[in-house]
Amino acid sequence: MVSAKTLKALEFDKILSDVSDRAVLIKTKEKIKAFSPVSDYSEAEFLLKKTQEAFSLLYKYSVSGIYYFSDVTEELGRADMGGTLINGELLRVADNLKSARILKTAVLSVSDENISFIPDICYSLYTNPDFEKEIRDKIISEDEISDNASPKLSSIRKSIRDLNVKIRERLNSYMHGSSSKYLQDGVVTMRQDRYVIPVKSEYRSFVKGFIHDQSSSGATVFIEPESVLDLNNQLKSAYLDEATEIRRILSELSGKVATFSDAIRNNAEKITEIDFCFSRAIYSFDNKCSLPVLNRKGKINVKRGRHPLIDKQSVVPVNVSFGEKYNFILITGPNTGGKTVTLKLVGLLSCMAMSGLFIPADDESDISFFSGIYCDIGDEQSIEQSLSTFSSHIKNIINIIDNVNENSLVLLDELGAGTDPDEGSALALSIIEKLLSLNCFGIITTHYSKLKEYAIESGKIENASMEFDAKNLKPMYKLNIGIPGSSNAIDIAKTLGLSSDIIERAITNLSDDKIGFENVIKKAEETRREAEELKESLQKVEEEKKKEFKIIEEEKQKIAREREKIVNSAKQEIKRIVAEKLADAEEIIDELKDILKRAGLESKEVFRASELKNRLKNSKYLFNDNENEPYELIPVDNSMSVGDEVFVKSIGAYGTVNKIKADKNEAEIMIGNMKSVVKISDLYNNRKVEKDEKVKVNRSNISNLPISELNIVGKTSLEAITELENFIAGAVMHNLEEIKVIHGVGEGILLKTVREYLKKDKRIKEYRRGKYGEGENGVTIITLK
């Protein structure tokens, strides 16, 4: 339970006022302003859960808010007793139904297993779209019923319109005929709901009819001519019929309202409840609040808590924790340093959490549910009982001690102040000891050194201080737990201009123990602040280095991607050029064949051209990296037989084995229509390799292979790295397995540069120094993946 006195001291009413501003319904606003923190832990959990659901509905799923409607409790009561509701009252009933329909449809359209309480409320909302539409179709506004509200009303109003036209037509004959000279002016007007014309008094006998009225001057009389008397009677009767039909329509609608009155009352109650949930969620969103972790163990751990009533631009976040190793914290420090604000903050955040509100602090902040919150804050002098300020505080503290238990929060501001300092500190110490024996929790602010010393020795209360800039004598509004604070009264007085002789005299009046204790505190605070500044500085350096490393890594990845892109482009370009040259060669050979055929010449040169073309064609396969059609050239072995297709390396052409001369290590090969005898060692099998098998080339037997050796002796490190990058790229493109880099021994600079680069290149499988005969320490042998 939290008393009204405590809530007022903590200014909780201002929080409720802010929340009520977010509500839609007047009834909700009233409910919020009268609300108090709940006294049951489960109820507090339930309120927070509903606020969390409302937050998700509004800001995750963009559910529309509450549609406004007025309270119709009184109207429903009259309808229940058979009374007839007027236009505006029925429209307000329709607003209730519309609000329920919109809210129910919006909320129940969300499918989220974590949202259940608010949908359950919405399920119970009563909707009746047909009746809602009927009201709005029949009632245009608070003053008007639709012509189509009933067929009879439509007929009556048509009759009224027709009668009006007829009456005006007859009266217009007086306006424009010979009788116009008797009229005061040419205007048709109404008296007692009947049409009349204004006649000059001296001519009243010239216009036959009934006199209804005369002007205040007596110069004009208003006469209903005999010619419209019957029509006016008919019009009067039609108006009476219209009123009767309207009353019947309203009565019929009111009867239907009575049928649904309980459901409509339930709507008002349930929508008000959801409006309250939405209001808490909107307040939490507007103030950047987070869901607290609620417990009932007295644990408080507020992370960067911000007092919600202090301007967002100037409020300084604080970290406050107690309730685990120690039950109380004793905050000391100079006036206006933020002690009272911090004390109020904890009480206010506790009340907010116990009211289903998120708190203005970082995520995962712990707030305890307390069965009671008690405080003694400010100068609460009781005029009625003629109590002094000190007496008023003691009276309040007596009440607190009599009511607290192990699940209570106690907030005492400037305990023991307002009386003799020695007696005040002694009394304050006794009160603290009593509170600690009751195992309750809380915060106490003070200036008394005796209490600081006690907190150092006690295990249930911890010193804390509001940080103070001793150099500039300015409060920092930051709470430091574990370190007592100094009041800095003399230093502040000196800064404000108090004369030096008074300052010096004040210092001499201090006891040696007091001076020593305060100096220790100041020194400890200075050391702590220096360590804190150093820590912050190191953190900044670390963050900057992380950013630099991140940029470097991104650049490396970018370079690697660009390099890969260049290599792939180069491969494609080589394939394109080879394909073009091959096509050109075939075209030239075809032309040569045609020329020689027509000239009747020998085809020896044609064969030579074909040989060159086949070499070009073979070079195409050396660069073929198509995974679907890889080739492998393997020397023939003893299993070769007549009819096998082979590749003749010296000619660069494909042929078929016609005869094998094993004793001479030769074979006769048919290349087209020509026979050629070649060494078996010059022959290669040609077969397709499996799709996932690595393409291999027997480089020892194929001419014009890419260079597998790089000499960077005498190069600078930058030049060496550039050439090494290009060298490895070319080797990878040509599917080389092993390459050599010659860097020499020298001072070892190039060796170190090459090795450092190879460590980071993902294309390198392994590398080693040269063996005897390979160049030893002057070379590096690289195996590619």
Side-chain angles (χ1 to χ4, degrees):
M1 177 182 176
V2 184
S3 68
K5 184 178 181 181
T6 295
L7 294 175
K8 182 180 179 182
L10 295 174
E11 300 179 281
F12 186 62
D13 58 316
K14 294 181 180 179
I15 300 295
L16 294 179
S17 179
D18 284 349
V19 177
S20 71
D21 288 341
R22 274 80 178 173
V24 174
L25 306 179
I26 294 174
K27 198 170 183 178
T28 309
K29 293 178 182 290
E30 295 170 352
K31 181 178 179 179
I32 293 172
K33 290 180 179 179
F35 192 81
S36 293
V38 297
S39 56
D40 181 76
Y41 176 79
S42 298
E43 190 176 355
E45 273 192 321
F46 186 50
L47 285 173
L48 284 171
K49 173 61 178 173
K50 287 196 289 188
T51 304
Q52 187 178 21
E53 288 190 1
F55 196 95
S56 294
L57 288 169
L58 290 171
Y59 300 108
K60 182 179 180 181
Y61 296 106
S62 302
V63 167
S64 58
I66 306 294
Y67 179 81
Y68 175 80
F69 62 91
S70 300
D71 183 20
V72 290
T73 303
E74 183 181 339
E75 289 85 341
L76 294 176
R78 283 195 286 108
D80 287 340
M81 292 187 295
T84 299
L85 305 184
I86 61 176
N87 294 18
E89 293 170 337
L90 287 166
L91 287 173
R92 287 193 281 277
V93 170
D95 286 340
N96 176 293
L97 293 172
K98 180 178 180 179
S99 184
R101 174 173 53 81
I102 292 173
L103 182 60
K104 186 173 185 176
T105 302
V107 171
L108 297 186
S109 68
V110 175
S111 179
D112 188 332
E113 61 182 10
N114 295 316
I115 301 176
S116 59
F117 296 125
I118 292 179
D120 284 347
I121 299 172
C122 287
Y123 273 119
S124 67
L125 291 177
Y126 173 74
T127 59
N128 192 331
D130 292 337
F131 183 49
E132 179 191 337
K133 184 176 185 300
E134 182 182 1
I135 292 175
R136 297 195 181 280
D137 285 346
K138 292 182 176 181
I139 303 176
I140 296 175
S141 68
E142 294 195 2
D143 303 314
E144 188 177 358
I145 300 290
S146 170
D147 291 354
N148 300 316
S150 75
K152 184 175 181 180
L153 182 62
S154 177
S155 176
I156 292 170
R157 286 187 170 173
K158 182 179 184 305
S159 176
I160 289 173
R161 287 192 294 272
D162 291 342
L163 286 169
N164 274 289
V165 171
K166 289 179 180 180
I167 293 171
R168 285 188 171 276
E169 286 177 349
R170 291 193 182 183
L171 291 179
N172 280 336
S173 65
Y174 287 90
M175 302 291 124
H176 306 291
S178 58
S179 299
S180 63
K181 59 186 177 182
Y182 305 132
L183 303 182
Q184 192 68 261
D185 52 52
V187 177
V188 175
T189 185
M190 300 285 291
R191 286 294 185 273
Q192 300 174 13
D193 295 328
R194 300 178 76 88
Y195 281 99
V196 295
I197 55 175
V199 179
K200 296 175 183 178
S201 292
E202 59 269 27
Y203 296 120
R204 67 176 66 188
S205 60
F206 292 91
V207 179
K208 293 182 179 182
F210 182 81
I211 298 175
H212 284 276
D213 196 7
Q214 70 176 4
S215 65
S216 57
S217 64
T220 304
V221 291
F222 297 93
I223 299 175
E224 179 184 358
E226 286 182 348
S227 60
V228 297
L229 187 62
D230 184 55
L231 290 175
N232 265 335
N233 288 337
Q234 293 179 40
L235 182 62
K236 183 74 173 179
S237 178
Y239 278 129
L240 292 174
D241 291 343
E242 178 190 36
T244 300
E245 180 61 11
I246 288 174
R247 283 195 298 271
R248 187 197 66 77
I249 292 169
L250 295 178
S251 178
E252 183 181 276
L253 292 174
S254 300
K256 291 183 179 179
V257 169
T259 304
F260 313 130
S261 61
D262 287 341
I264 295 171
R265 288 189 186 92
N266 179 71
N267 280 355
E269 180 183 343
K270 299 302 183 183
I271 296 173
T272 298
E273 184 179 355
I274 296 175
D275 191 22
F276 193 1
C277 296
F278 281 6
S279 301
R280 297 196 300 268
I282 296 169
Y283 173 87
S284 300
F285 178 82
D286 291 345
N287 290 278
K288 295 181 173 60
C289 298
S290 65
L291 175 67
V293 180
L294 198 65
N295 69 87
R296 43 185 161 190
K297 300 178 181 179
K299 180 183 177 183
I300 295 289
N301 183 21
V302 177
K303 302 174 182 178
R304 290 180 54 79
R306 307 174 303 278
H307 197 293
L309 299 178
I310 297 178
D311 183 79
K312 297 176 185 178
Q313 303 300 321
S314 58
V315 65
V316 179
V318 295
N319 299 315
V320 187
S321 62
F322 60 87
E324 289 189 293
K325 295 180 180 179
Y326 42 85
N327 286 21
F328 274 79
I329 55 174
L330 180 75
I331 305 178
T332 52
N335 290 327
T336 70
K339 298 193 302 295
T340 303
V341 171
T342 302
L343 178 141
K344 282 187 173 183
L345 172 69
V346 172
L348 198 53
L349 298 192
S350 298
C351 288
M352 291 174 70
M354 292 163 62
S355 302
L357 285 165
F358 289 6
I359 61 173
D362 285 359
D363 292 338
E364 303 299 320
S365 289
D366 295 286
I367 293 291
S368 178
F369 174 87
F370 294 105
S371 60
I373 299 177
Y374 304 89
C375 68
D376 182 64
I377 302 173
D379 187 10
E380 298 181 6
Q381 188 168 356
S382 174
I383 300 175
E384 183 180 344
Q385 298 180 16
S386 300
L387 296 174
S388 68
T389 300
F390 177 74
S391 300
S392 176
H393 287 312
I394 294 300
K395 197 78 174 176
N396 198 15
I397 290 171
I398 291 171
N399 179 65
I400 292 172
I401 292 174
D402 288 343
N403 288 281
V404 297
N405 56 36
E406 60 184 11
N407 193 28
S408 297
L409 176 67
V410 178
L411 307 169
L412 303 178
D413 190 30
E414 297 297 347
L415 179 60
T419 188
D420 176 76
D422 289 338
E423 292 186 7
S425 64
L427 187 60
L429 182 56
S430 296
I431 292 171
I432 290 175
E433 289 175 333
K434 178 63 176 177
L435 291 172
L436 294 180
S437 71
L438 295 172
N439 292 320
C440 55
F441 302 86
I443 301 176
I444 297 170
T445 69
T446 186
H447 285 287
Y448 293 139
S449 297
K450 195 170 185 177
L451 302 186
K452 303 176 192 177
E453 295 170 8
Y454 175 78
I456 292 174
E457 300 171 356
S458 174
K460 284 190 175 183
I461 185 168
E462 179 65 84
N463 270 305
S465 59
M466 302 307 299
E467 187 165 322
F468 189 79
D469 186 347
K471 294 181 180 178
N472 300 307
L473 297 177
K474 291 182 178 180
M476 306 298 290
Y477 305 107
K478 179 182 178 183
L479 181 68
N480 297 312
I481 296 178
I483 301 175
S486 175
S487 66
N488 293 286
I490 293 178
D491 291 334
I492 293 173
K494 182 178 179 181
T495 302
L496 294 175
L498 193 63
S499 61
S500 58
D501 58 325
I502 297 177
I503 296 296
E504 291 171 4
R505 184 63 180 167
I507 293 173
T508 59
N509 288 334
L510 289 173
S511 66
D512 292 340
D513 290 342
K514 172 70 174 177
I515 294 172
F517 184 70
E518 289 294 322
N519 286 339
V520 168
I521 291 176
K522 288 181 181 179
K523 187 64 179 176
E525 175 62 13
E526 289 175 5
T527 303
R528 187 201 63 77
R529 285 198 64 196
E530 288 174 358
E532 190 73 23
E533 289 173 359
L534 179 60
K535 180 182 177 183
E536 290 178 0
S537 177
L538 291 174
Q539 285 177 341
K540 288 181 180 178
V541 171
E542 183 180 5
E543 289 174 1
E544 289 175 359
K545 291 300 178 185
K546 284 182 179 178
K547 289 179 182 178
E548 290 177 5
F549 289 145
K550 184 178 179 181
I551 292 172
I552 291 172
E553 187 62 30
E554 288 175 351
E555 285 297 321
K556 284 174 61 180
Q557 293 177 1
K558 183 179 178 181
I559 291 171
R561 288 193 298 269
E562 289 296 326
R563 182 169 56 216
E564 184 178 357
K565 184 178 178 181
I566 291 171
V567 169
N568 290 335
S569 297
K571 287 181 178 180
Q572 294 300 321
E573 183 64 14
I574 290 171
K575 288 171 65 178
R576 185 188 65 79
I577 292 172
V578 169
E580 286 181 358
K581 298 303 180 185
L582 184 60
D584 291 343
E586 288 176 344
E587 185 178 341
I588 291 169
I589 290 170
D590 289 341
E591 290 179 5
L592 287 172
K593 282 181 179 179
D594 184 56
I595 293 170
L596 293 172
K597 184 177 179 181
R598 281 181 287 157
L601 300 175
E602 295 292 331
S603 60
K604 186 185 297 184
E605 292 305 320
V606 175
F607 174 75
R608 178 58 182 164
S610 179
E611 175 188 331
L612 293 175
K613 182 201 76 170
N614 286 335
R615 286 188 181 181
L616 183 59
K617 182 177 181 182
N618 182 59
S619 67
K620 172 185 177 183
Y621 294 110
L622 293 178
F623 295 106
N624 190 339
D625 61 351
N626 188 333
E627 292 184 2
N628 294 319
E629 294 186 4
Y631 285 89
E632 180 179 29
L633 296 175
I634 302 174
V636 298
D637 53 23
N638 294 332
S639 63
M640 182 183 71
S641 59
V642 174
D644 287 350
E645 183 182 357
V646 293
F647 176 71
V648 185
K649 174 256 180 185
S650 59
I651 300 175
Y654 293 91
T656 305
V657 178
N658 192 50
K659 187 183 295 184
I660 300 174
K661 300 177 181 179
D663 56 333
K664 295 183 179 180
N665 196 29
E666 294 178 343
E668 185 181 276
I669 307 299
M670 292 295 296
I671 302 174
N673 295 322
M674 175 186 172
K675 292 181 182 178
S676 179
V677 178
V678 297
K679 293 291 185 183
I680 293 177
S681 60
D682 196 29
L683 301 177
Y684 291 84
N685 285 325
N686 181 40
R687 70 176 179 84
K688 281 198 172 184
V689 181
E690 295 298 327
K691 184 176 180 180
D692 57 349
E693 187 178 348
K694 187 175 180 182
V695 176
K696 300 176 182 177
V697 179
N698 189 331
R699 297 173 177 83
S700 62
N701 297 307
I702 300 178
S703 60
N704 298 322
L705 288 177
I707 298 172
S708 61
E709 183 176 290
L710 173 67
N711 189 335
I712 56 172
V713 176
K715 304 288 185 181
T716 65
S717 294
L718 183 60
E719 291 171 339
I721 289 298
T722 302
E723 292 193 15
L724 183 58
E725 283 182 339
N726 295 332
F727 176 54
I728 293 174
V732 170
M733 183 177 69
H734 292 99
N735 297 315
L736 297 184
E737 293 179 336
E738 187 174 273
I739 55 177
K740 179 194 290 186
V741 178
I742 303 171
H743 43 66
V745 180
E747 297 179 359
I749 296 175
L750 283 179
L751 170 63
K752 183 178 179 181
T753 300
V754 169
R755 298 288 171 84
E756 286 295 324
Y757 178 82
L758 296 177
K759 285 179 184 178
K760 302 173 184 177
D761 196 319
K762 296 180 180 179
R763 299 169 296 180
I764 307 303
K765 182 177 181 182
E766 60 183 9
Y767 58 88
R768 61 177 175 81
R769 76 184 192 112
K771 298 178 182 177
Y772 179 76
E774 291 180 324
E776 300 182 30
N777 288 333
V779 303
T780 295
I781 307 299
I782 302 167
T783 302
L784 300 171
K785 290 182 179 178

